[in-house]
Amino acid sequence: MFHKSENLKYLLSLVPGKRRFGTYRFLPIFFCIGGVMEWIMINVRIGRETFCEKYGKTERQMKNRQ
């Protein structure tokens, strides 16, 4: 159990900027992850449509019901 915690601490210590930025040094990583997720939702087709096309279709259907 403690061995995994030590490995995690070691991996987190590899990210530079601990003294200057503290925990905020991880923000660029999450920013990039968010950008990749957005790109996937816009451009990657699952079946015949992307997430944005499906979401837009669902929104229009909900609006027409009201």
Side-chain angles (χ1 to χ4, degrees):
M1 180 76 175
F2 294 109
H3 185 65
K4 290 182 183 180
S5 177
E6 290 173 11
N7 288 339
L8 182 62
K9 284 182 184 180
Y10 173 73
L11 288 174
L12 292 176
S13 71
L14 293 177
V15 178
K18 182 177 182 179
R19 202 172 72 212
R20 179 175 285 185
F21 300 115
T23 56
Y24 294 107
R25 69 183 189 242
F26 301 108
L27 282 177
I29 296 169
F30 293 113
F31 182 80
C32 291
I33 290 171
V36 168
M37 285 177 56
E38 185 174 349
W39 183 88
I40 288 171
M41 290 192 317
I42 293 171
N43 294 315
V44 175
R45 293 192 174 278
I46 298 174
R48 295 184 185 171
E49 54 194 6
T50 64
F51 174 80
C52 290
E53 291 170 353
K54 179 67 174 176
Y55 183 76
K57 187 187 295 183
T58 305
E59 283 291 311
R60 287 189 299 272
Q61 288 174 352
M62 294 292 284
K63 197 179 256 187
N64 288 337
R65 288 183 187 169
Q66 291 177 352

